[in-house]
Amino acid sequence: MSLQSYQVLQRDDAGVAHFAQDNGTVVELKTGGPYEVGDATEILVGDLWVLAGQSNMEGCGRPIDMETSSPLVHSFQSKEVWAVAEEPLHWLDESPRPVHRKINGMPPPPETLEARPTGRANGSGLGLTFAKLIQARTGVPVGLIPCAHGGTSMDQWSPERDATEGDNSLYGATLSRIRANGGKVAGILWYQGESDADEASVPLYMDRMVALIQAFRRDLDQLDLPFYLVQLGSYVTAGAPGEAARWSAIRAEQRRLTTALPNVEMVSAIDLDLDDGIHISTAGLKRLGKRLANVACGFPTPTLAGVEKIQSSIGNYVTLRVSFDGARGWLRAEGRPTGFTLRDSDDADTHQIFKTTLEGDAAILHLSVETLPVGLSLWYGYGLDPYCNITDAEDAAVPAFGPISLPVD
């Protein structure tokens, strides 16, 4: 590892890291810092986190009220040097890894990089908020390794590409950046899926995600490596035929991942504002960074526990109780709780929910029928741009789910 300042070393299970100086001397450093070792300064010992996926992880928020820096949070910049982390974290045109220029159709970088442009239109992300909260709660310094690339698919992230393409592949380039910093990390943050919501890719999404997670764990020799993903948010578009169903299918597969593999957790972005048709706003990304920090610190996020019919308090109408595990401080919503739909076999909304109330860790759905029709399914957050506003007291959003079969009378 080359000697440089502002570095973050991944601590081991004993809370120490070994720093190799240019003269061959190895110095043992405890969790904390900053340390000065020889000519290297501002060396921290703590936890490294990878930021991977596509544009909403790369960060496309507008430069309005962006997250501020912290001296105890550093970033391994795209140009392969460490610095105090500041927005934007990703500058892919500076990366020497050829995959980013290949994807963007750009020539190789010049030997001497020009100054970064001022007044960048967007680039705010979730990583710095996440890192600052983790550091504040644990007292442990944090290093970020930004590796995301907008518009990329699971096929482009395939670990199989590394065997033949190396740094010409996203997976290979990410491994190289991790290995350039000791080869161990505390966890991976992942936001991707928009580019796989097509007819050919949806059926392959689950297997591809499982293969990716298992490959990271195998190649880094960290079989229990934490992997925290974000469920897809909204997409404001007219939509092609079947696109709403495919977007919902990706969300369902992401939800299934949390039970398919250990140490995989998910947070939802279904309720967050956008800065354009598909990219989460700067304010929303800050909330998302907090949600990821919460699960990384072991706090639960609401998950569907079950659906049952209960006695109606309004006439003879059917009433459903949708209960959740993991809600902290009970469920809440600004204004009328919304996001649930009852859909028929053609995925059409039957518009039968006339009232939704929140009671503790459950949502009570009042239906405008006295007998539950056959063949209905319950969804929360169906489609491209659903309006969902239910969170717990710590701002963890109820994730999108469905289809959930309903009990028949």
Side-chain angles (χ1 to χ4, degrees):
M1 184 183 298
S2 62
L3 194 65
Q4 66 174 53
S5 297
Y6 292 102
Q7 199 163 337
V8 181
L9 306 177
Q10 175 63 44
R11 57 182 179 156
D12 62 19
D13 292 341
V16 300
H18 298 86
F19 184 82
Q21 301 184 78
D22 282 349
N23 62 9
T25 303
V26 177
V27 179
E28 183 177 282
L29 303 174
K30 295 181 180 180
T31 299
Y35 297 104
E36 181 175 333
V37 184
D39 294 332
T41 61
E42 301 295 328
I43 306 302
L44 302 175
V45 175
D47 288 331
L48 298 177
W49 290 87
V50 174
L51 310 177
Q54 55 183 114
S55 56
N56 272 310
M57 181 59 78
E58 183 181 336
C60 292
R62 295 174 184 170
I64 300 172
D65 192 28
M66 294 192 298
E67 191 67 71
T68 58
S69 298
S70 164
L72 295 177
V73 177
H74 295 175
S75 175
F76 189 56
Q77 296 182 324
S78 298
K79 59 186 177 182
E80 309 280 315
V81 297
W82 281 96
V84 172
E86 62 180 4
E87 298 284 20
L89 294 174
H90 289 79
W91 293 82
L92 298 183
D93 57 341
E94 296 182 351
S95 175
R97 310 289 175 181
V99 63
H100 300 297
R101 291 182 169 267
K102 180 179 71 173
I103 291 173
N104 288 346
M106 299 171 61
E111 291 186 7
T112 302
L113 290 171
E114 298 179 359
R116 287 175 172 171
T118 59
R120 181 167 165 177
N122 55 38
S124 183
L126 62 86
L128 186 50
T129 299
F130 167 86
K132 286 177 63 178
L133 285 170
I134 291 287
Q135 192 284 317
R137 291 172 179 174
T138 64
V140 175
V142 173
L144 296 173
I145 304 180
C147 300
H149 192 120
T152 50
S153 66
M154 286 305 300
D155 178 60
Q156 290 172 295
W157 277 96
S158 172
E160 296 179 2
R161 291 179 175 270
D162 180 42
T164 57
E165 299 179 30
D167 278 357
N168 280 290
S169 72
L170 288 167
Y171 181 81
T174 300
L175 276 187
S176 293
R177 282 171 62 77
I178 295 171
R179 288 168 174 163
N181 290 285
K184 301 292 181 184
V185 294
I188 295 175
L189 306 185
W190 178 263
Y191 193 151
Q192 191 277 341
E194 297 95 332
S195 292
D196 283 75
D198 61 77
E199 189 172 359
S201 300
V202 168
L204 304 175
Y205 190 76
M206 183 70 171
D207 288 343
R208 285 172 166 173
M209 281 298 301
V210 169
L212 178 77
I213 297 169
Q214 291 176 332
F216 272 125
R217 290 173 172 177
R218 178 194 67 235
D219 293 339
L220 297 176
D221 194 23
Q222 293 181 258
L223 299 184
D224 59 351
L225 177 67
F227 192 94
Y228 302 128
L229 72 146
V230 180
Q231 189 184 46
L232 289 189
S234 293
Y235 180 24
V236 180
T237 179
E243 193 168 12
R246 293 192 293 270
W247 204 265
S248 296
I250 292 291
R251 292 194 189 108
E253 296 292 71
Q254 291 171 328
R255 183 168 160 261
R256 282 209 303 137
L257 270 171
T258 62
T259 57
L261 292 173
N263 288 341
V264 175
E265 300 291 344
M266 184 191 78
V267 301
S268 177
I270 196 68
D271 62 324
L272 300 178
D273 290 337
L274 303 177
D275 266 350
D276 59 32
I278 199 169
H279 295 118
I280 296 175
S281 69
T282 298
L285 288 164
K286 286 183 177 181
R287 293 172 68 187
L288 195 53
K290 177 183 176 182
R291 291 172 183 178
L292 286 164
N294 282 342
V295 296
C297 289
F299 297 122
T301 195
T303 57
L304 179 67
V307 182
E308 61 178 335
K309 289 176 60 178
I310 61 174
Q311 182 66 39
S312 175
S313 61
I314 306 176
N316 295 320
Y317 294 126
V318 172
T319 302
L320 300 176
R321 185 178 191 273
V322 185
S323 57
F324 297 87
D325 292 328
R328 294 190 293 155
W330 305 135
L331 300 178
R332 57 187 61 193
E334 291 189 11
R336 179 169 63 93
T338 188
F340 294 99
T341 55
L342 287 175
R343 313 190 76 83
D344 61 22
S345 57
D346 294 323
D347 277 343
D349 187 353
T350 61
H351 300 285
Q352 293 173 335
I353 302 172
F354 69 84
K355 185 180 181 66
T356 300
T357 57
L358 302 178
E359 299 180 7
D361 59 357
I364 310 301
L365 309 183
H366 301 273
L367 280 54
S368 59
V369 293
E370 295 185 0
T371 302
L372 193 63
V374 175
L376 292 187
S377 296
L378 176 66
W379 292 79
Y380 181 75
Y382 178 90
L384 298 170
D385 183 30
Y387 182 75
C388 301
N389 66 346
I390 303 175
T391 69
D392 68 10
E394 297 297 325
D395 195 43
V398 169
F401 62 78
I404 304 298
S405 298
L406 299 178
V408 178
D409 289 319

